[in-house]
Amino acid sequence: MRSKKEIFRWSVITAALITLLVILWNTYSFFQTYKTEERTKMKIWAEALNTLDIATSIEADVSLPFLIIMENKTIPIIQTDEHDKIISLNNIDEQIVNTPEKKQALLRKLKFQNPPIILKVGKQTQYVYYGNSSLLTKLKYYPVTLVLIFLFFTVLLFYFYRSNKIATQNKLWTGMAKETAHQIGTPLSSLLGWVEIMRLDNISPEITEEIEKDVKKLQIIADRFSKIGSIPKLTNVDIVSETRKSFDYFSLRNSKQIIFTLDCPDYEINIPLNKELHSWTIENLIKNAIDAMKGKGKLAILIQDTEKTVNIYVTDTGSGIPKKMFNKIFEPGYTTKKRGWGLGLSLTKRIVEEFQNGKIKVTQSEIGKGTTFCITYHKKKADL
């Protein structure tokens, strides 16, 4: 069952469309009426021209037909004989009058616009070709302008509605994320206590250290969710070491059927980043690659240091992405998996481009062979 808001929205859209159609129909009717009136005027004009010729030959009063002919100052006219030889031109630009090619082109145009008025002058047959007046021309394009204006406001309203809907969704997700972080906090504190008890019971240090790493990872995740919706602080950090941390964590905790490789400079590259958000970005791309490979394949991360930028390439040997979907995969809700909400890549793009002033894109992908993502950051120091 449709909600009241949806019914109201569709009612407004329907009313707007009906109004537009009524205006367009009335405009069309007015256009046809005015066109018919113009043809009537041209018939009177042609008759006045014929009367003027007859009256001149018998020295009769020519003031009325002369006045009728002189009153026409807006409609372009070309008068020809039965062999299409131009006899006279009225209300035509001098540049056209003085150029034979342009005169013939205008004649063809007038023939297309309106059927000619046949004029009998003695035993000769002449034709009066005329075009649309400036007012009729404006009326001709008025419906097009009206439709464009309607489409403009429709797009504007759609954009406003969509932005408002996205803003509401963002508030909802932000609230859920903060509440999730709050709920995770209590069991995390307990887990840290249990780790200390395990140490006191002389449990193998290797086991307690790995458990402690996982607990700290959960703390980092909870911290990330608690900061959603707020503007993160960027500091100058070594992107090489921060990327390596995320890489090492996942390479030790995933299937041995996945071959992990990291190729990076052996020196520090300090750029303005948020540590937590950067590790989240790398983790999302690694998880996405693992899902695409279905737990088996090769995953490579390359950090490329250039003069002005730092590029991080994440390459997998997964299922690949069609080229037409390169941009769509970053949209919220898009996913090819049976499970999942399709937020990983969308969130990654938001972190990289909105929070950390970088760029992320798919640089290469081939169906059945794999995909390469590239993150680009500009080298500039953070404001301290």
Side-chain angles (χ1 to χ4, degrees):
M1 187 175 180
R2 292 183 176 180
S3 64
K4 290 183 179 180
K5 286 185 177 180
E6 191 175 355
I7 293 172
F8 176 75
R9 185 168 67 250
W10 281 108
S11 299
V12 171
I13 292 172
T14 304
L17 284 172
I18 292 172
T19 303
L20 178 66
L21 291 173
V22 170
I23 293 174
L24 289 175
W25 173 253
N26 286 333
T27 304
Y28 175 78
S29 300
F30 181 70
F31 177 83
Q32 293 299 323
T33 301
Y34 195 81
K35 193 175 179 69
T36 303
E37 288 183 0
E38 277 199 353
R39 183 164 183 82
T40 302
K41 289 179 182 178
M42 288 311 304
K43 286 181 178 179
I44 295 172
W45 185 91
E47 192 63 35
L49 183 66
N50 194 22
T51 303
L52 185 64
D53 289 338
I54 297 171
T56 302
S57 62
I58 60 175
E59 297 182 353
D61 184 17
V62 295
S63 57
L64 181 59
F66 184 76
L67 180 62
I68 293 173
I69 292 171
M70 293 302 296
E71 276 295 312
N72 175 35
K73 297 178 181 180
T74 59
I75 302 175
I77 301 170
I78 295 180
Q79 186 179 354
T80 70
D81 62 14
E82 55 190 1
H83 302 295
D84 266 0
K85 182 180 178 181
I86 296 176
I87 300 172
S88 66
L89 301 96
N90 297 83
N91 303 321
I92 308 294
D93 187 83
E94 289 186 8
Q95 190 177 2
I96 297 175
V97 173
N98 298 326
T99 309
E101 294 82 5
K102 291 184 177 180
K103 283 195 293 185
Q104 291 299 322
L106 179 61
L107 177 60
R108 288 193 295 271
K109 181 180 178 181
L110 298 186
K111 284 181 178 181
F112 177 77
Q113 286 185 352
N114 295 292
I117 295 173
I118 301 173
L119 191 64
K120 292 291 183 178
V121 181
K123 294 182 179 180
Q124 293 182 345
T125 301
Q126 295 181 359
Y127 297 91
V128 176
Y129 295 98
Y130 66 97
N132 296 327
S133 64
S134 57
L135 178 59
L136 199 61
T137 303
K138 289 177 182 178
L139 283 172
K140 181 180 178 181
Y141 293 107
Y142 174 74
V144 177
T145 305
L146 189 65
V147 170
L148 290 175
I149 292 172
F150 177 79
L151 289 175
F152 171 76
F153 279 103
T154 301
V155 171
L156 196 65
L157 286 171
F158 173 77
Y159 178 77
F160 172 77
Y161 170 75
R162 187 170 179 271
S163 299
N164 188 52
K165 186 177 180 180
I166 290 173
T168 304
Q169 289 176 344
N170 287 339
K171 287 181 180 178
L172 177 62
W173 289 118
T174 299
M176 287 180 65
K178 290 181 181 292
E179 180 61 23
T180 301
H182 177 71
Q183 295 294 335
I184 290 175
T186 302
L188 274 179
S189 299
S190 298
L191 285 172
L192 285 171
W194 283 109
V195 170
E196 291 301 322
I197 292 173
M198 290 173 70
R199 280 202 181 97
L200 293 173
D201 289 342
N202 296 319
I203 302 297
S204 172
E206 292 182 359
I207 295 175
T208 55
E209 283 177 9
E210 289 303 316
I211 293 174
E212 190 172 18
K213 284 181 183 178
D214 287 335
V215 172
K216 287 181 178 179
K217 189 66 180 178
L218 286 172
Q219 284 183 314
I220 292 171
I221 292 171
D223 185 54
R224 290 172 183 169
F225 278 94
S226 68
K227 291 179 179 177
I228 285 181
S230 58
I231 299 174
K233 183 180 179 181
L234 304 184
T235 57
N236 294 316
V237 298
D238 178 17
I239 193 171
V240 176
S241 63
E242 293 302 322
T243 303
R244 186 184 293 277
K245 288 177 185 177
S246 297
F247 175 84
D248 290 342
Y249 181 85
F250 272 89
S251 61
L252 292 172
R253 286 164 174 76
N254 272 283
S255 170
K256 299 300 181 182
Q257 291 183 309
I258 298 177
I259 300 172
F260 288 83
T261 58
L262 174 63
D263 184 4
C264 59
D266 56 1
Y267 51 85
E268 291 186 0
I269 305 175
N270 292 297
I271 61 171
L273 291 174
N274 180 281
K275 289 184 180 181
E276 289 79 14
L277 292 183
H278 178 68
S279 64
W280 202 353
T281 298
I282 300 301
E283 287 172 20
N284 279 339
L285 290 178
I286 291 175
K287 288 178 182 177
N288 183 74
I290 292 171
D291 290 338
M293 295 185 292
K294 297 180 180 178
K296 185 178 181 180
K298 295 180 180 179
L299 191 152
I301 295 181
L302 167 66
I303 300 178
Q304 183 186 62
D305 183 19
T306 68
E307 184 180 353
K308 295 182 179 180
T309 63
V310 179
N311 302 315
I312 303 176
Y313 295 93
V314 180
T315 304
D316 63 63
T317 55
S319 56
I321 304 167
K323 193 170 184 179
K324 62 181 180 180
M325 306 302 291
F326 279 12
N327 292 322
K328 191 173 180 63
I329 60 172
F330 293 105
E331 294 179 4
Y334 177 83
T335 180
T336 57
K337 296 179 290 185
K338 292 181 179 179
R339 294 182 179 180
W341 291 355
L343 296 175
L345 289 176
S346 171
L347 185 60
T348 301
K349 184 178 178 69
R350 185 175 181 184
I351 290 172
V352 171
E353 299 189 356
E354 294 185 24
F355 294 157
Q356 303 196 129
N357 305 314
K359 288 289 182 182
I360 183 171
K361 63 180 179 180
V362 179
T363 56
Q364 186 179 358
S365 187
E366 191 173 346
I367 301 298
K369 292 188 176 181
T371 303
T372 298
F373 286 86
C374 177
I375 302 172
T376 300
Y377 291 117
H378 289 278
K379 287 182 175 178
K380 65 176 183 178
K381 298 296 182 182
D383 296 329
L384 301 176

